[in-house]
Amino acid sequence: MHESVLLHESLAALNVHADGIYVDATFGRGGHSGEILKLLGERGRLLAFDRDPQAVQVAKQQFADDARFEIIAEPFSAMSRELSARDLMGKVNGILMDLGVSSPQLDEAARGFSFMRDGELDMRMDPTRGFSAAEFIATAKESDLADVIYRLGEDRQSRRIARAIVTARQVEPITRTLQLAKIVADALPRHEKHKHPATRTFLALRLYVNDELGEVERTLPQAVDALAAQGRLAVISFHSLEDRIVKLYLRDEARGPQLPKDLPVRDQEIKRRIKLVDKIMPGEAELKVNPRARSAVLRVAERIR
């Protein structure tokens, strides 16, 4: 069963008004969307994005009869384009971005996200676009593989892992998740306690194949642009790389333009667009029922003008 992380905290952060306009940038399996809809009145409106065809199908099945809801089958980096087409830029009262992969994607072996279940080595959130993880590791240079695993997986053993992958693919194509997981594990005689040795490699490949960090970087400015005054942006991150992007972007936006120290400008004259509202971590009660929430961070900002 899919458990939405920081569900109540994120809803509280959005400060939902009954007649407001809201965006769920990552529909997933509809946990957050369903709760937002419960708080909306007849005049309220919720637009949800998801590039995963399975998630889009779930959205259509769950909320097909709800006139307040619309699912948009696009990555959230299409936010400005899609909201502009609906004349909603600058009018949105709240945006929720629940980053990363969803539990159903991890749990379905055929999607290729998990090193614990055997399936095709795909990892694409939208299997109809782009290249799969198997296609990437079949053709990538050893140096490029090492760079991706080091930069996105933050694995210091990236060169050893890349060398093992290149050696293995010369014997037979690497097309299955457990096949890759074993190659990585065999290449690392010593690894972190209580963590599967392929954890960082699978994370790196997933981030690379889906350009997840690039998606976040492109979308955050669009989300701020989309908000009305007093509109809230709530972003849930699950690992350090994406959280760092969110943290730094929101911090810089909240500071406003960095002017020379000796410039005679009063603080209230600096045109800041947002203010930081909160940073929230899962509580012990949530961690007991949903261990996947352990690395989650919710950051909240509000549009000033």
Side-chain angles (χ1 to χ4, degrees), residues 47-66:
L47 297 94
F49 287 80
D50 211 299
R51 54 175 156 170
D52 185 335
Q54 291 185 10
V56 171
Q57 189 60 35
V58 169
K60 290 178 178 178
Q61 292 172 350
Q62 286 186 355
F63 305 117
D65 298 328
D66 196 326

Side-chain angles (χ1 to χ4, degrees), residues 12-31:
L14 288 177
N15 193 23
V16 178
H17 302 297
D19 58 351
I21 300 169
Y22 295 89
V23 172
D24 182 353
T26 45
F27 178 83
R29 288 302 180 267

Side-chain angles (χ1 to χ4, degrees), residues 67-133:
R68 303 168 301 167
F69 177 82
E70 180 181 1
I71 182 67
I72 300 171
E74 294 286 349
F76 49 59
S77 61
M79 189 179 295
S80 286
R81 184 188 72 217
E82 295 296 331
L83 294 183
S84 294
R86 294 159 177 79
D87 192 28
L88 293 177
M89 287 298 288
K91 301 177 182 179
V92 177
N93 302 109
I95 298 173
L96 174 63
M97 297 174 66
D98 183 2
L99 305 178
V101 69
S102 69
S103 295
Q105 288 170 328
L106 283 173
D107 293 339
E108 188 175 335
R111 299 300 299 273
F113 286 101
S114 176
F115 48 78
M116 301 298 290
R117 297 172 174 83
D118 190 41
E120 289 188 19
L121 190 59
D122 195 307
M123 295 195 188
R124 287 173 294 176
M125 292 181 178
D126 181 353
T128 68
R129 303 181 187 179
F131 53 87
S132 69

Side-chain angles (χ1 to χ4, degrees), residues 156-176:
R156 296 178 181 178
Q157 300 294 324
S158 59
R159 291 183 181 179
R160 181 191 292 266
I161 295 167
R163 192 178 310 120
I165 291 173
V166 169
T167 300
R169 77 185 185 190
Q170 292 171 349
V171 178
E172 62 177 345
I174 303 170
T175 61
R176 310 290 295 183

